[in-house]
Amino acid sequence: MSEGPHLTFDLDQPGISQGHLVVPKGADCEALSLSVFSLNKGAGPRLLITGGCHGNELEGPIVARRLVEWLPEAQTCGRIIIVSVLNPPAVQAFTRNTPIDGLNLNRVFPGRANGSVTERIADAISRLLLPMADTVFDLHSFGPTWDFPPSTTTHPIADQDLMAKTIKMAEAFKLPMTLVWDHPDTPGMFDISAHNQGKVFVCAELGGGTIGAENLAIYEAGVRNALIALGLIEGKAECPIFRQRKSSQTLQTRRPADELASPARGIFEPRCSMLDEVKQGDLIGILHPMDSSSAASTDIRLPSTSIVCGIRSGGYVEVNEWLALLARSLAH
C-alpha cells in the first residue's frame, strides 16, 4: 500500500519555505512531485495561488513564477502558497487534459485517493492545500483557439454572501473584464469544491493562443492589484492598459442564449473583436464550407444586443461548437 499524499516541508513555519506536494504513485504512473512555494508572514489573509491546471495554458505558471521572484520583498503579512504547475504531465505534453488517463483536472475535484493520476492530484490539493487557504486564485488562459480579454471569472453561487465577496475580489484585479459566467455546475470543478468549503475562489483568464509580453504584464498587474486589495502587499492598484485604454467592466452571461454555437461545419472567419458592443442582427462572423468552393458561406449574426466576451480566433469548427461568448453589464 503506497503512502498517502504529503508535503515535504511544514507550511506553518515562518518565512520562505519551498518543497513539494507528493502525489502517490498508482497503477498508471509513478509518484509526482508538485513544486510548492510558501511565504508565511504571520497573521493575515491566507491565499492559495495555482497555475497549470490545464497543460496548454502556460500564462498561469509563468505569472506564478514571477510572483515568487518579488513577493519576498513585497509581502507584509499573512500567508501565500503558490503551486505554479498543478498538472505536470499535462504541461509537459502541452495538452489540456492529462495524457496518462485523458482526464481534465478541473472536472475531477475533490478527487479520489485510489483513483487515476488526475484524480490523485485533485485529492492531494483538496486534502492538503485547499484547507490552508481562505482565498484561491487559479490562473488559467482561455485556450489557443479563442480571443478573450484579460479577465477574472466566477460562476453564480447560491450563498449570496459568498457571491458578493467573490465578485468584490474578482473586481479587485481591475482587469478589463470581470465575468459572472452562467456556466453549468459541472461536477468536479475546482471552484465548486472551494465554494463548498466557503472559500473565495477567483479564476483569472486570458486568451489569444500565444504567450505575449503585453498580456503577461497585464495578468501580473491584475494579480498584484488583488494582493493589494487583500492587504498582503502595499501599493496603489491601477487598471492595466488594454487596447490603448484603461477600463474595467463587470458582465454576466445567460445560458444557453449567450453561448453562440455554429450551425454547421466549416472555417470560421471572425468579423468582430472581444469586448465589442454589438447590436441585434449585426454580423459577427462568417462560416465558410470546407467541402465546396462554390457553396454559399453562412453569415453569423447576433441574436440580441450584447458585448462580445470571447470570439473564436478563426479555425475549423464542428456543428454546435462555440463561436462566441456573449454578455451584458451586471447590475449589483
Side-chain angles (χ1 to χ4, degrees):
M1 187 77 175
S2 64
E3 63 183 351
H6 61 277
L7 288 158
T8 62
F9 67 103
D10 182 4
L11 283 174
D12 289 327
Q13 64 189 24
I16 296 174
S17 305
Q18 298 189 67
H20 293 88
L21 173 62
V22 178
V23 178
K25 70 178 182 179
D28 51 1
C29 71
E30 293 299 312
L32 299 177
S33 292
L34 279 57
S35 180
V36 180
F37 170 90
S38 172
L39 183 50
N40 185 356
K41 293 201 172 181
R46 303 187 306 162
L47 174 66
L48 172 64
I49 299 175
T50 57
C53 179
H54 293 139
N56 61 350
E57 301 174 11
L58 301 184
E59 289 87 346
I62 292 172
V63 171
R65 290 184 63 88
R66 287 186 179 185
L67 297 178
V68 171
E69 294 174 2
W70 58 259
L71 266 177
E73 296 298 323
Q75 187 176 331
T76 58
C77 66
R79 179 171 61 197
I80 301 177
I81 300 168
I82 299 176
V83 186
S84 59
V85 176
L86 285 180
N87 194 340
V91 169
Q92 289 163 11
F94 193 62
T95 55
R96 178 177 176 82
N97 293 357
T98 312
I100 298 167
D101 58 13
L103 295 181
N104 179 341
L105 177 56
N106 203 26
R107 299 296 186 273
V108 300
F109 278 88
R112 292 192 302 142
N114 61 348
S116 66
V117 62
T118 310
E119 294 170 311
R120 297 197 304 275
I121 293 172
D123 174 69
I125 295 293
S126 298
R127 283 207 268 164
L128 297 181
L129 294 185
L130 192 54
M132 307 293 284
D134 304 312
T135 303
V136 181
F137 296 163
D138 193 25
L139 309 182
H140 284 252
S141 51
F142 212 69
T145 61
W146 282 80
D147 281 333
F148 197 81
S151 309
T152 47
T153 69
T154 186
H155 299 152
I157 305 169
D159 182 332
Q160 291 304 302
D161 182 58
L162 183 59
M163 181 82 258
K165 290 178 180 177
T166 301
I167 292 178
K168 183 178 179 181
M169 189 73 261
E171 290 176 335
F173 281 70
K174 296 188 179 297
L175 291 176
M177 181 173 73
T178 297
L179 181 64
V180 179
W181 190 348
D182 183 14
H183 192 280
D185 283 341
T186 305
M189 293 188 76
F190 190 8
D191 59 342
I192 293 173
S193 284
H195 294 156
N196 289 341
Q197 296 186 31
K199 315 289 186 183
V200 171
F201 187 107
V202 176
C203 178
E205 300 264 15
L206 72 155
T210 59
I211 301 175
E214 181 182 10
N215 274 349
L216 286 170
I218 292 172
Y219 208 147
E220 185 178 4
V223 175
R224 184 188 295 269
N225 287 340
L227 294 176
I228 292 170
L230 277 173
L232 287 163
I233 66 174
E234 296 178 346
K236 181 180 179 182
E238 293 187 0
C239 287
I241 296 174
F242 178 69
R243 298 177 70 183
Q244 291 80 52
R245 64 186 182 188
K246 287 188 177 183
S247 63
S248 183
Q249 56 186 322
T250 302
L251 307 174
Q252 63 179 341
T253 67
R254 289 195 305 256
R255 295 194 70 249
D258 288 333
E259 297 164 357
L260 193 60
S262 176
R265 305 167 70 192
I267 300 171
F268 180 64
E269 174 193 347
R271 287 292 185 94
C272 65
S273 299
M274 51 187 167
L275 296 184
D276 280 356
E277 296 184 22
V278 285
K279 296 180 180 180
Q280 183 177 5
D282 282 356
L283 180 70
I284 68 165
I286 300 175
L287 191 64
H288 302 287
M290 221 178 69
D291 52 1
S292 171
S293 58
S294 59
S297 298
T298 302
D299 288 350
I300 307 297
R301 296 188 179 275
L302 205 66
S304 60
T305 298
S306 307
I307 296 171
V308 177
C309 296
I311 186 83
R312 282 292 290 252
S313 56
Y316 181 75
V317 295
E318 294 283 356
V319 178
N320 290 327
E321 276 196 81
W322 287 5
L323 300 177
L325 180 64
L326 312 172
R328 62 212 42 82
S329 295
L330 173 68
H332 71 284

